[in-house]
């Protein structure tokens, strides 16, 4: 670290109390402590430092600091910070010891399984749920604003929002980013065992076909109605947000009467079951499919036999967002944490954990500088051509129909 | 009855017959009947996501019921019934020999040990045990590879994961204990003389079993069937974790309407129909239960003739051989077979627990996938090494000091033994309190704070809910057994409804109810601000978990009392005891074992409650099953196994503590064994 300004800011950002905390808890876990310190050092670097890339500042990728113009403001917080999010969705350090060390807030994380569960929980507690940060998927944001379940950001506390790629800001559900900011986004494709399905599969049509032939009785689908129906719409060149009853009927006729009997499971996180050997083809979100490679390796299988294919000709783009819950007991800490998470080094550390694109600008440069060893990058980052085929979901009355179709499929598959 | 008329001066029960049940009646009205009524009303509404609660009640319609009444619902319901009926039957078939063996064939000491071994597995988290079944069932797993190697299964490995068979295995596993215990209790109650009389009258082993033992065990079988079949019908966690598409169950279909479609009206309609369907099945079963014995009785003359023939034959055999030795020689292989069977069942019950412990030392990232290199990294991940060590040390020192003190005092004979025996539990309690005062130990010991908090919350919630359940269930059980009347039919109906209502419906009912009462004085305050040191979220969990638990306690207490006649209480009243005194000195001791048994059962159920708790809990009141259920939506890390093991150890420590205190207060170990089993 050859930043001239560093010592002065070090004093500000790593005060006495912080060092104490380090000695108390983190020294027992030397690895974490070192990483934590390194990030603070990195985060303090001056904006105008064009300096060297990660390689020569020590082996740990986190020790490196991204070059270029980044905002790295860290606001201190205190007390407890409660987060309500999807399972295993952040690096445990970032929602644990590291956050406590750098921000001063103790984190407490709970998990939900669907956006609707989140909404029910918040709506039924009159702003008394005790959660500070919640992580709804983009299209659910308007509903949550309308119901008063999330509160407006204090943007002055979120200066690091300038680190986010503008193409992932100002989404249709919250054009001003007044309530939400991108946590990460992902897409949908499929993952298959080339030793079982020997032909090359290229698109959703091939996927459906393989499920009904070679992989019949051995395939898994995402356990959400819209995604399940989406496959049929995408493969047939329709808009997956359509509310046209005729198209929905056609979709139902195929999925329920012809397709369902071949499905082994409706599983939204198939990576573990894939490694256990339960499926030979799975519809999956990109991050989970990427995890599957590691799980297969853990289980002593052969990861090279498995292939990831992005859904085509069209597929989904979903984005999960950070919001501050209405009635949050500790909104300052919530803002401080979200802002901290938008610092490139933290964001990339998180990205390496969950395998989804966190949507910062100059992403490819960030990765080459901060995480040069990142594997399976093509499952996290997509070309502009690919991104142009991504479609976001809209909340329409058709969702009921989607769930109904999924239920009928389940009944049929179980029969 | 005649005594009641002939004693005019006796201090008679005053006030309504249901006096003792009043707390339960208020509780059920407040937290079951009224909230559920709202959900039933929802079933006539329409979905409207723009509202805070997504139901529009402005124009009521029966359309939702028409929507439910299609092929899908009944198809899934049929599949659920098939799984539940088969699993219940398997539980009876597997459990009956074990219960029979434990009740009649082993010494008192072994009886206690085997019963404890049957109960212990249920104190490990239900969810983690279910997840653990994935390990032996995985086609790429060690077990499967071994089976392939020895040629039992083909190249593909065992193809059970994500099938109905997997669900079937796990469901039988999960509910077997709840079947064996009532069966044992019923068999244990049978007067041995009845069986002896049957044999003396010349009935053979088989005839005695079917003619005497089985009919007398009938109530136990019914209790077991109810305790297993009903929750199986609503269960969907097992199916979600193991079942795949083939193991889909009705409970998950109802839940998906609430949690995926936000279609509360349709979900409510489904839940109402599901309750109706389950009740219909139970009624049909009870009709069969009444009709079949009558039908069999029609065959009585035939049976008589057969019996007479067999009698002659066995009499002839006795005359030839001299009776006893012949019988003994036939007994032994039977006994042998039953003991082997019991051992096998116990092994079956402990397989997942062994796997949970083993996999908590898994070096990999996923709990179920064994990487081949054991590691204690997840234990290290979970615990703050220094604090854990300090805590354990403090604990040992304090308990050690008390142990030494006990020795010294005993050597001097300064205290009577009865007092002396209290020192152990007191030392234990002091160690707990001291540790609690010095540090916020759940927080300091656990590096991954969430799990530490979850374990603490699980205890607070389950303990409080159990206390509520025991008080409510005990009082209403007494009232039902001793003061039956019209009210008791309505009350029992409510208890049954509580047992049959799918959890997700209770959850929605309560969650919306808490919102509605948040402005009501007192009630709203309790659920918002909490009581004393307990947060509002914990108070909500108490309510949510106590419903089912108190219904179970009610049934157990009622069953216990209705087996005993009222003469003792009447005698007490004749001798001038006030109703309160008679209750305290006669009734309470009579039902104490049922209360302990009900309490233990409640505690297990509450500790494992996931569905209601998930919706009801708040930030800061998340329990272990809630946290784990959330984690099952993605990769389950091995530290959940660590957490489950810790939870199990703490639970067992608490139970041993309770058992010791009970023993100190005068109950014998055999009594405790019996109460553990609910007799």
């Amino acid at each position: 670290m050859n930043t001239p300004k560093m010592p002065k800011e070090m004093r500000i950002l790593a005060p006495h109390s912080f060092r104490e905390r380090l000695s108390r808890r983190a020294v027992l876990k030397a690895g974490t402590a070192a990483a934590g310190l390194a990030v603070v050092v990195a985060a303090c670097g001056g904006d105008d430092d064009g300096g060297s890339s990660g390689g020569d500042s020590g082996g740990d990728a986190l020790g490196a600091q991204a070059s270029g113009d980044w905002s790295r403001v860290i606001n201190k917080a205190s007390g407890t910070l409660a987060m309500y999010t999807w399972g295993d969705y952040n690096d445990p350090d970032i929602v644990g010891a590291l956050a406590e060390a750098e921000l001063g807030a103790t984190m407490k994380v709970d998990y939900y399984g669907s956006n609707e569960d989140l909404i029910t929980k918040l709506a039924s507690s009159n702003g008394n749920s005790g959660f500070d940060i919640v992580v709804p998927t983009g299209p659910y944001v308007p509903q949550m604003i309308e119901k008063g379940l999330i509160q407006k950001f204090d943007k002055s506390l979120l200066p690091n929002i300038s680190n986010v790629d503008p193409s992932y800001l100002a989404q249709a559900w919250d054009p001003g980013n007044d309530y939400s900011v991108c946590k990460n986004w992902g897409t949908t494709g499929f993952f298959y065992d080339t030793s079982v399905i020997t032909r090359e599969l290229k698109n959703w049509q091939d996927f459906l076909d393989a499920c009904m032939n070679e992989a019949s009785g051995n395939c898994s689908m995402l356990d959400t109605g819209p995604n399940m129906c989406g496959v049929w719409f995408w493969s047939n060149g329709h808009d997956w947000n359509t509310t046209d009853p005729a198209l929905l009927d056609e979709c139902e006729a195929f999925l329920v009467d012809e397709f369902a009997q071949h499905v082994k499971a409706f599983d939204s996180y198939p990576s573990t079951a894939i490694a256990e050997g339960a499926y030979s083809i799975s519809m999956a979100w990109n991050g989970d499919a990427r995890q599957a490679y590691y799980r297969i390796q853990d289980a002593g299988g052969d990861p090279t036999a498995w292939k990831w294919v992005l859904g085509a000709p069209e597929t989904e783009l979903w984005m999960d967002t950070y919001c501050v819950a209405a009635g949050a007991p500790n909104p300052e800490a919530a803002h401080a944490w979200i802002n901290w998470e938008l610092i490139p080094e933290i964001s990339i550390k998180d990205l390496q954990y969950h395998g989804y694109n966190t949507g910062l600008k100059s992403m490819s440069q960030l990765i080459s500088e901060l995480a040069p060893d990142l594997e399976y990058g093509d499952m996290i980052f997509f070309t502009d051509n690919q991104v142009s085929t991504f479609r976001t979901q809209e909340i329409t009355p058709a969702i009921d129909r989607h769930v109904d179709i999924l239920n009928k499929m389940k009944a049929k598959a179980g029969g | 009855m005649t005594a009641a008329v002939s004693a005019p001066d006796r201090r008679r029960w005053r006030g309504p017959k249901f006096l003792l049940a009043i707390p339960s009646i208020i509780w059920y009205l407040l937290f079951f009947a009224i909230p559920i009524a709202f959900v039933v009303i929802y079933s006539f509404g329409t979905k409207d996501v723009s509202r805070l609660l997504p139901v529009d009640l402005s124009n009521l319609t029966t359309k939702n019921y028409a929507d439910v009444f299609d092929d899908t619902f009944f198809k899934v319901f049929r599949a659920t019934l098939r799984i539940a009926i088969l699993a219940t039957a398997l539980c009876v078939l597997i459990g009956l020999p074990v219960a029979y063996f434990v009740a009649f064939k082993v010494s008192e000491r072994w009886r206690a040990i085997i019963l404890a071994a049957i109960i212990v597995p249920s104190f490990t988290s239900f969810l983690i045990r279910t997840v653990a079944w994935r390990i032996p069932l995985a086609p790429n797993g060690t077990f499967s590879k071994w089976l392939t190697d020895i040629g039992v299964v083909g190249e593909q490995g065992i193809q059970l994961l994500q099938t109905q068979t997997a669900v079937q295995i796990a469901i039988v596993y999960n509910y077997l204990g709840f079947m064996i215990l009532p069966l044992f209790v019923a068999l244990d109650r049978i007067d041995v003389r009845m069986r002896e009389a049957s044999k003396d009258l010349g009935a053979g082993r088989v005839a005695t079993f079917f003619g005497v033992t089985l009919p007398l065990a009938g109530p136990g079988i019914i209790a077991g069937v109810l305790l297993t079949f009903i929750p199986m019908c609503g269960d969907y966690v097992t199916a979600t974790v193991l079942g795949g598409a083939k193991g889909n169950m009705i409970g998950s279909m109802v839940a998906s309407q609430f949690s995926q479609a936000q279609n509360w009206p349709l979900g409510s309609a489904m839940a109402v129909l599901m309750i109706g369907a389950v009740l219909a099945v139970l009624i049909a079963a009870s009709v069969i239960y009444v009709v079949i014995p009558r039908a069999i009785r029609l065959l009585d003359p035939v049976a008589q003739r057969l019996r007479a023939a067999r009698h002659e034959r066995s009499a002839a055999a006795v005359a030839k051989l001299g009776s006893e030795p012949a019988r003994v020689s036939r007994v032994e292989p039977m006994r042998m077979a039953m003991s082997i069977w019991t051992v096998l069942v116990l092994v079956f019950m402990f397989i997942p627990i062994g796997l949970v412990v083993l996999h908590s030392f898994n070096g990999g990232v996923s709990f179920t996938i064994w990487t081949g290199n054991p590691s204690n990294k997840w234990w290290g991940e979970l615990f703050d090494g220094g604090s854990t060590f300090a805590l354990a040390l403090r604990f040992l020192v304090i308990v050690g000091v008390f142990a030494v003190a006990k020795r010294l005092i005993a050597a001097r004979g300064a205290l009577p033994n009865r007092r002396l025996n209290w020192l152990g539990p007191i030392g234990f309690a002091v160690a707990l309190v001291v540790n609690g005062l010095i540090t916020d130990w759940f927080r300091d010991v656990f590096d991954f704070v969430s799990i530490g908090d979850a374990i603490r919350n699980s205890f607070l919630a389950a303990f409080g809910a159990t206390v509520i359940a025991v008080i409510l269930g005990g009082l209403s059980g007494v009232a039902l057994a001793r003061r039956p009347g019209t009210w008791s039919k309505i009350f029992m109906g409510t208890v049954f409804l509580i047992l049959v209502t799918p959890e997700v419906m209770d959850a929605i009912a309560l969650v919306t109810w808490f919102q509605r009462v948040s402005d009501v004085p007192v009630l709203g305050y309790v659920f918002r601000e909490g009581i004393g040191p307990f947060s509002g979220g914990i108070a909500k969990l108490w309510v949510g978990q106590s419903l089912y638990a108190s219904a179970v306690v009610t049934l157990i207490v009622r069953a216990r009392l209705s087996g005993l006649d009222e003469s003792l209480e009447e005698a007490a009243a004749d001798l001038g005891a006030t109703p309160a005194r008679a209750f305290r000195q006669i009734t309470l001791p009579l039902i104490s074992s049922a209360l302990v048994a009900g309490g233990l059962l409640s505690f297990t159920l509450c500790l494992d409650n996931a569905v209601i708790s998930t919706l009801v809990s708040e930030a800061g009141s998340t329990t272990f099953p809630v946290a784990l259920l959330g984690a099952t939506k993605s990769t389950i890390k091995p530290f959940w196994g660590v957490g489950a093991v810790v939870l199990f150890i703490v639970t067992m420590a608490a139970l041993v503590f309770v058992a010791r205190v009970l023993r100190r207060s005068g109950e014998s170990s055999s009594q405790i064994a019996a109460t553990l089993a609910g007799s």
Side-chain angles (χ1 to χ4, degrees), chain B residues 10 24-25 36 85 168 189 299 322 455 468 548 551 568 576 596 628:
Chain B
R10 183 194 295 164
S24 303
I25 292 173
I36 286 284
I85 289 176
Q168 203 78 63
R189 279 248 200 99
L299 296 173
I455 289 177
I468 294 170
Y548 191 90
L568 279 176
V596 173
L628 181 53

Side-chain angles (χ1 to χ4, degrees), chain A residues 25 147 269 279 353 400, chain B residues 47 51 162 447 633 637:
Chain A
R25 185 180 282 271
K147 292 182 175 182
Y269 298 91
Y279 318 127
Y353 182 81
D400 281 356
Chain B
K47 171 180 164 174
R51 288 161 189 263
Q162 318 284 27
D447 222 8
K633 312 284 187 203
K637 298 283 180 62

Side-chain angles (χ1 to χ4, degrees), chain A residues 25 28-29 87 110 114 116-117 121 126 128-129 143 147 223 264 269 275-276 279 353 400 407 413, chain B residues 47 49 51 134 139-140 162 245-246 257 259-260 262 368 384 447 518 528 614 617 619 622 633 637:
Chain A
R25 185 180 282 271
L28 291 164
K29 294 171 65 187
D110 288 313
S114 74
E116 291 78 6
D117 284 348
K121 176 67 76 69
N126 282 349
N128 198 23
S129 69
Q143 194 190 128
K147 292 182 175 182
D223 191 11
K264 184 169 195 179
Y269 298 91
E276 287 167 346
Y279 318 127
Y353 182 81
D400 281 356
N407 274 333
Chain B
K47 171 180 164 174
V49 292
R51 288 161 189 263
R134 294 190 72 96
N140 286 352
Q162 318 284 27
K246 305 283 181 228
Q257 290 303 334
S259 74
Q260 278 191 11
Q262 264 181 306
T368 53
D384 186 334
D447 222 8
S518 63
R528 208 170 50 244
T614 295
S617 67
T622 303
K633 312 284 187 203
K637 298 283 180 62

Side-chain angles (χ1 to χ4, degrees), chain B residues 83 103 105 126 221 326 335 352 378 381 383 425 454 511 552 624 676:
Chain B
I83 293 176
K105 302 289 173 189
F126 173 94
I221 297 178
R335 193 192 152 114
W378 297 106
E381 193 94 346
F383 289 101
V511 125
V552 170
F624 188 79
L676 270 174

Side-chain angles (χ1 to χ4, degrees), chain B residues 306-322:
Chain B
L306 280 174
R307 237 170 266 158
R310 199 181 307 139
H311 184 93
E312 269 162 41
R313 228 179 303 139
S314 63
V318 168
K320 212 184 283 173
L321 288 168

Side-chain angles (χ1 to χ4, degrees), chain B residues 27-28 457-473 534 538-551 553 598-609 612-613 623:
Chain B
W27 194 263
Y28 291 159
N457 290 335
S458 292
F459 264 94
L460 289 181
F463 187 75
T466 302
V467 169
I468 294 170
V470 167
I471 293 174
L472 295 181
F534 306 109
I538 294 284
K540 288 179 182 175
L541 286 171
W542 287 343
V543 171
Q545 298 182 349
S546 69
L547 285 177
Y548 191 90
S550 64
V553 177
L600 281 173
L601 203 55
S602 305
F603 191 66
T604 333
L605 292 168
C606 296
L607 211 54
D608 273 339
N609 185 288
I612 291 184
S613 304
T623 63

Side-chain angles (χ1 to χ4, degrees), chain B residues 346 348 395 457 507:
Chain B
L346 287 179
F348 173 66
F395 204 89
N457 290 335

